Amino acid sequence: MPDRPAPARKSTSRTSAKATQPPRLSVIGTGYLGATHAAAMAALGFQVVGFDTDPTKVAALSLGKVPFYEPGLDELLVEQVESGRLRFTSDVADAVASSDVHFVCVGTPQQATSHAADLSHVEAAVRAVAENLVGDALIVGKSTVPVGTASWLRGLLADAAPAGVRAELVWNPEFLREGKAVQDTLHPDRVVVGGASARAEELLRTVYAQPVAEGAPFISCDLPTAELVKVSANAFLATKISFINAIAGVCEAAGADVTVLADALGHDSRIGRQFLDAGLGFGGGCLPKDIRALMHRAGELGAHHASRLLQQVDEINMGQRERVIAMATEACGGSVLNRRIGVLGAAFKPDTDDVRDSPALNVAAALHLRGAQVTVFDPQASDTARRTFPTLGYAASAEDAVQGTDVVLLLTEWPELVALDAGRLAALTATARVIDARGKLDAQAWRAAGWEFTGLGRIAA
Ligand code: UDX
């Protein structure tokens, strides 16, 4: 990882009086986004302190241990903690007093009783920073929030900050993907900053000097636009997935193959091949809750076309889970009761152990609740899945998971699962029936190895 100090900035403001020095950074909230952001900013050469209210998380991170699976993050964290540029604390006053720029990286989950985002963590984080300020500061929101949140937080900041302190709040949404979080943070496609004064923009141009020098566009805009860029990006990706899943339904009805169709569509540079994999649909900690929060917010603002569109996107997506449950039931002869089902994959996508709103785990659990004996194998997510659904069976290998089964389901397209030897696996099952819910298996090869093969939007044998 490059280890070069950030360029010194020139300014006449009070914060920078401490400073022709590079700004010192705090990261408030060290979950997925915050832990990655903190390590990446330290790798860019800044002095960084990560704050979290959870002392166990702080203790683990201080030892360079990431409490979740994210390729490359462990190494980066260890390297940066050892360099002395990165430390963690559960003392917010310490984090705030030792930094000039504060990145708010806390979660905005879906509310338990509505589609709206729960903003209590963001509110608490901004309040905690505000109340502990000892000098001028820049607060930078990175969490995904409904449009209008940042403006409300500015009011809160003005009320809570000590008299005489100049504190500015801007929004700088984060677009990182799980499984590629380090790469996405160090080399973002774009840097979006909303509501920044000249001084704030100068500070953030210093922070992001390296990605911008590499070619990432720096887009400075107003607060609501910055907030909306993030949720619109996720809404577009979700819409693209539900579009191809709707077309997969047409393919099935017409005897066409959606995987070939998606490749052909993808060659059109206006469309592109990414996010056109038909299958079990999207899940995870972001896309589902973000489109629901946007649906809710658009409705509040009277923008009903967006709400209706996203409602359809959500319905198509959730319908894919029902579709796979129905296919598994049909494969078992009309009822899954006491049937043995082998499930390959529990994570919401490959390269993560995250099972939040995982379509794979959701389908596995639904089949279990209908009386099937479900055995799950996932290369990384078995522990997180077990914590969520302890009553499912968990196998130590794909071979163990398919042992004696009536049907096998591929629900997360981990490369090692896609590459499994179809012939060897067929011999282990009671009946060699497979449902490829991710459109990634070679249907011809699996059929040749003796499997009865079904896929979403694929041509029946
Ligand atoms: C997403 C956004 O990509 C990221 O920019 C944002 O910051 C957070 O939300 P992430 O949730 O990590 O990132 O996963 P992503 O790679 O976008 O996949 C989301 C879901 O869509 C997964 O469940 C995946 O399996 C599914 N998907 C993706 C499909 O069903 N088909 C596809 O073609 C692509």
Side-chain angles (χ1 to χ4, degrees), residues 292-313:
R292 288 175 192 150
L294 179 55
M295 207 188 293
H296 182 90
R297 188 71 184 121
E300 281 179 347
L301 294 167
H304 298 297
H305 286 308
S307 293
R308 283 198 290 268
L309 173 69
L310 294 171
Q311 177 73 30
Q312 276 293 309
V313 168

Side-chain angles (χ1 to χ4, degrees), residues 174-178 230 234 237 241 245 274-278 281-287 348-350 359 413 438:
E174 178 56 57
F175 301 92
L176 66 80
R177 291 162 293 179
E178 294 186 19
K230 172 58 196 276
N234 277 356
L237 295 173
I241 298 168
N245 281 330
Q274 290 190 60
F275 281 75
L276 280 185
D277 285 334
F282 59 83
C286 294
L287 255 50
F348 84 97
K349 66 171 191 179
E413 68 278 30
R438 289 294 179 182

Side-chain angles (χ1 to χ4, degrees), residues 82-93:
E82 280 177 0
S83 76
R85 278 188 300 273
L86 177 59
R87 68 182 178 92
F88 294 91
T89 179
S90 52
D91 177 354
V92 72

